[in-house]
mmCIF file of all heavy atoms in Angstrom:
data_model
loop_
_atom_site.group_PDB
_atom_site.id
_atom_site.type_symbol
_atom_site.label_atom_id
_atom_site.label_comp_id
_atom_site.label_asym_id
_atom_site.label_seq_id
_atom_site.Cartn_x
_atom_site.Cartn_y
_atom_site.Cartn_z
ATOM 1 N N TRP A 414 4.552 -2.187 5.094
ATOM 2 C CA TRP A 414 3.455 -1.800 5.964
ATOM 3 C C TRP A 414 2.159 -1.744 5.155
ATOM 4 O O TRP A 414 2.113 -1.141 4.072
ATOM 5 C CB TRP A 414 3.714 -0.439 6.586
ATOM 6 C CG TRP A 414 4.816 -0.411 7.604
ATOM 7 C CD1 TRP A 414 5.712 -1.406 7.878
ATOM 8 C CD2 TRP A 414 5.154 0.680 8.461
ATOM 9 N NE1 TRP A 414 6.587 -1.002 8.860
ATOM 10 C CE2 TRP A 414 6.265 0.271 9.236
ATOM 11 C CE3 TRP A 414 4.630 1.955 8.644
ATOM 12 C CZ2 TRP A 414 6.854 1.099 10.181
ATOM 13 C CZ3 TRP A 414 5.218 2.786 9.583
ATOM 14 C CH2 TRP A 414 6.313 2.355 10.348
ATOM 15 N N SER A 415 1.122 -2.355 5.643
ATOM 16 C CA SER A 415 -0.184 -2.287 4.981
ATOM 17 C C SER A 415 -0.697 -0.854 5.079
ATOM 18 O O SER A 415 -0.769 -0.279 6.170
ATOM 19 C CB SER A 415 -1.159 -3.256 5.641
ATOM 20 O OG SER A 415 -0.710 -4.589 5.469
ATOM 21 N N THR A 416 -1.065 -0.296 3.916
ATOM 22 C CA THR A 416 -1.286 1.144 3.816
ATOM 23 C C THR A 416 -2.589 1.447 3.092
ATOM 24 O O THR A 416 -2.804 0.994 1.966
ATOM 25 C CB THR A 416 -0.109 1.802 3.061
ATOM 26 O OG1 THR A 416 1.122 1.415 3.682
ATOM 27 C CG2 THR A 416 -0.242 3.307 3.059
ATOM 28 N N SER A 417 -3.448 2.218 3.745
ATOM 29 C CA SER A 417 -4.733 2.608 3.164
ATOM 30 C C SER A 417 -4.698 4.096 2.847
ATOM 31 O O SER A 417 -4.411 4.921 3.721
ATOM 32 C CB SER A 417 -5.870 2.306 4.144
ATOM 33 O OG SER A 417 -7.116 2.717 3.624
ATOM 34 N N CYS A 418 -4.998 4.440 1.601
ATOM 35 C CA CYS A 418 -4.883 5.821 1.125
ATOM 36 C C CYS A 418 -6.259 6.389 0.757
ATOM 37 O O CYS A 418 -7.017 5.766 0.012
ATOM 38 C CB CYS A 418 -3.972 5.889 -0.092
ATOM 39 S SG CYS A 418 -2.339 5.161 0.173
ATOM 40 N N TRP A 419 -6.553 7.565 1.277
ATOM 41 C CA TRP A 419 -7.808 8.265 1.033
ATOM 42 C C TRP A 419 -7.492 9.695 0.592
ATOM 43 O O TRP A 419 -6.340 10.106 0.618
ATOM 44 C CB TRP A 419 -8.667 8.292 2.297
ATOM 45 C CG TRP A 419 -9.070 6.939 2.803
ATOM 46 C CD1 TRP A 419 -8.246 5.959 3.315
ATOM 47 C CD2 TRP A 419 -10.391 6.391 2.832
ATOM 48 N NE1 TRP A 419 -8.973 4.855 3.658
ATOM 49 C CE2 TRP A 419 -10.310 5.093 3.386
ATOM 50 C CE3 TRP A 419 -11.653 6.880 2.473
ATOM 51 C CZ2 TRP A 419 -11.413 4.277 3.567
ATOM 52 C CZ3 TRP A 419 -12.764 6.068 2.665
ATOM 53 C CH2 TRP A 419 -12.645 4.782 3.199
ATOM 54 N N THR A 420 -8.517 10.428 0.194
ATOM 55 C CA THR A 420 -8.331 11.831 -0.144
ATOM 56 C C THR A 420 -9.284 12.697 0.669
ATOM 57 O O THR A 420 -10.394 12.265 1.019
ATOM 58 C CB THR A 420 -8.552 12.100 -1.656
ATOM 59 O OG1 THR A 420 -8.407 13.508 -1.922
ATOM 60 C CG2 THR A 420 -9.933 11.650 -2.111
ATOM 61 N N LYS A 421 -8.843 13.913 0.981
ATOM 62 C CA LYS A 421 -9.703 14.885 1.660
ATOM 63 C C LYS A 421 -10.543 15.685 0.672
ATOM 64 O O LYS A 421 -11.426 16.434 1.094
ATOM 65 C CB LYS A 421 -8.848 15.865 2.472
ATOM 66 C CG LYS A 421 -8.087 15.260 3.620
ATOM 67 C CD LYS A 421 -7.255 16.311 4.340
ATOM 68 C CE LYS A 421 -6.081 16.777 3.493
ATOM 69 N NZ LYS A 421 -5.187 17.710 4.211
ATOM 70 N N ASP A 422 -10.257 15.539 -0.610
ATOM 71 C CA ASP A 422 -10.917 16.359 -1.628
ATOM 72 C C ASP A 422 -12.358 15.897 -1.824
ATOM 73 O O ASP A 422 -12.602 14.799 -2.348
ATOM 74 C CB ASP A 422 -10.142 16.265 -2.942
ATOM 75 C CG ASP A 422 -10.576 17.313 -3.951
ATOM 76 O OD1 ASP A 422 -11.593 17.993 -3.703
ATOM 77 O OD2 ASP A 422 -9.905 17.456 -4.984
ATOM 78 N N ASP A 423 -13.319 16.732 -1.431
ATOM 79 C CA ASP A 423 -14.718 16.338 -1.549
ATOM 80 C C ASP A 423 -15.282 16.545 -2.944
ATOM 81 O O ASP A 423 -16.397 16.111 -3.247
ATOM 82 C CB ASP A 423 -15.579 17.071 -0.518
ATOM 83 C CG ASP A 423 -15.561 18.583 -0.701
ATOM 84 O OD1 ASP A 423 -14.773 19.074 -1.536
ATOM 85 O OD2 ASP A 423 -16.330 19.283 -0.012
ATOM 86 N N THR A 424 -14.512 17.196 -3.811
ATOM 87 C CA THR A 424 -14.941 17.394 -5.194
ATOM 88 C C THR A 424 -14.503 16.201 -6.035
ATOM 89 O O THR A 424 -13.334 15.787 -5.970
ATOM 90 C CB THR A 424 -14.327 18.679 -5.782
ATOM 91 O OG1 THR A 424 -14.704 19.794 -4.967
ATOM 92 C CG2 THR A 424 -14.804 18.906 -7.212
ATOM 93 N N GLU A 425 -15.418 15.641 -6.798
ATOM 94 C CA GLU A 425 -15.049 14.530 -7.676
ATOM 95 C C GLU A 425 -13.915 14.943 -8.618
ATOM 96 O O GLU A 425 -13.905 16.051 -9.156
ATOM 97 C CB GLU A 425 -16.252 14.106 -8.518
ATOM 98 C CG GLU A 425 -17.227 13.202 -7.839
ATOM 99 C CD GLU A 425 -18.249 12.702 -8.838
ATOM 100 O OE1 GLU A 425 -17.898 11.836 -9.655
ATOM 101 O OE2 GLU A 425 -19.388 13.192 -8.802
ATOM 102 N N SER A 426 -13.009 14.038 -8.838
ATOM 103 C CA SER A 426 -11.856 14.315 -9.701
ATOM 104 C C SER A 426 -11.827 13.310 -10.843
ATOM 105 O O SER A 426 -11.729 12.103 -10.608
ATOM 106 C CB SER A 426 -10.556 14.226 -8.892
ATOM 107 O OG SER A 426 -9.435 14.167 -9.737
#
Side-chain angles (χ1 to χ4, degrees):
W414 290 10
S415 296
T416 307
S417 178
C418 305
W419 298 66
T420 178
K421 295 179 290 185
D422 193 351
D423 62 353
T424 302
E425 279 188 74
S426 166

